[in-house]
Amino acid sequence: MEADLSGFNIDAPRWDQSTFLGRVKHFFNITDPRTIFVSEQELDWAKEEVEKSRRGLVPPGTQVERLLYAKKLYDSAFHPDTGEKMNLIGRMSFQVPGGMVITGFMMQFYRTMPAVIFWQWVNQSFNALVNYTNRNAASPTSVRELIQGICVKDKDQNELGCSRRAAAVGITQVVISRITMAAPGMILLPVVMERLERLHLMKKVRVLHAPLQVLLCGCFLLFMVPVACGLFPQECKLPVSYLEPDLQDTIKAKSGEQVLFAYFNKGL
């Protein structure tokens, strides 16, 4: 489809991010696990296309679908704050294949203490890498965010200062999202597997129990990753009146009463 791209804004969300459904559609798009198989060269091409579009250098006749595909790859692989390429395992698009294997094996191999310890270690290491990869770029760790605060900005992306209250809100939302992401599989899958294992066929082919559990876990995560990520907007919006009194005073001294809201990327 060829179209007039003179007013095209590649950073404008395709779906309304003020609604839950719009956010879920957005995250279904950028957490698509198929994007982990895209080559490094194609990811670099996507970044170049996005940057050219931002500078208004889109060649005449460029298809909208081409730009939207480039933006999908860009959002799936590059950090929203820094624009740097994220490590593959830490990307949200890797949550389905990575999470399904780890969660499935955690639930299958739980009968011995060494197995429990090993898979818990793998799970926590994976979660730590995902947290670090999808953090707010201004704060390397959540602990630092709580102690020093997270950088908040106005609607024009001008820095206003650092807020511990904003950090607490962001971290709380991320924790709720992560619990929501894992809970259905962890709660419902054992019930499903218990019933399946009673079947005569499943009793005969016990070797299939682990692969089936991993597969079913992947089915849960395929839907729950975008749903959980979409519970809250990635860019949080807080009234300035909610921030620390000293930060409120600083903002009022700089901008008077013009700045009513503060914005920040809470991470995923």
Side-chain angles (χ1 to χ4, degrees), residues 195-207:
R195 293 183 178 237
L196 289 177
E197 288 172 358
R198 294 175 185 172
L199 299 178
H200 179 69
L201 176 63
M202 292 295 290
K203 291 180 180 179
K204 292 177 60 177
V205 286
R206 293 185 178 276
V207 68

Side-chain angles (χ1 to χ4, degrees), residues 37 59 93 99 101 105 141-142 161 168 200 222 233 244 254 257 261-262:
F37 300 107
S93 53
V101 171
F105 277 54
T141 65
S142 298
H200 179 69
L222 187 64
E244 292 86 343
K254 289 181 179 179
E257 301 291 339
F261 295 95

Side-chain angles (χ1 to χ4, degrees), residues 97-115:
M100 66 187 283
V101 171
I102 294 172
T103 305
F105 277 54
M106 282 175 61
M107 299 177 69
Q108 180 65 26
F109 302 110
Y110 64 89
R111 293 178 175 84
T112 66
M113 186 58 67

Side-chain angles (χ1 to χ4, degrees), residues 145 148-152 161-168 238 242-244 247:
E145 287 181 2
Q148 300 183 359
I150 194 171
C151 180
V152 295
C162 292
S163 170
R164 293 184 298 277
R165 291 184 178 180
L238 291 177
Y242 179 80
L243 306 178
E244 292 86 343
L247 181 54

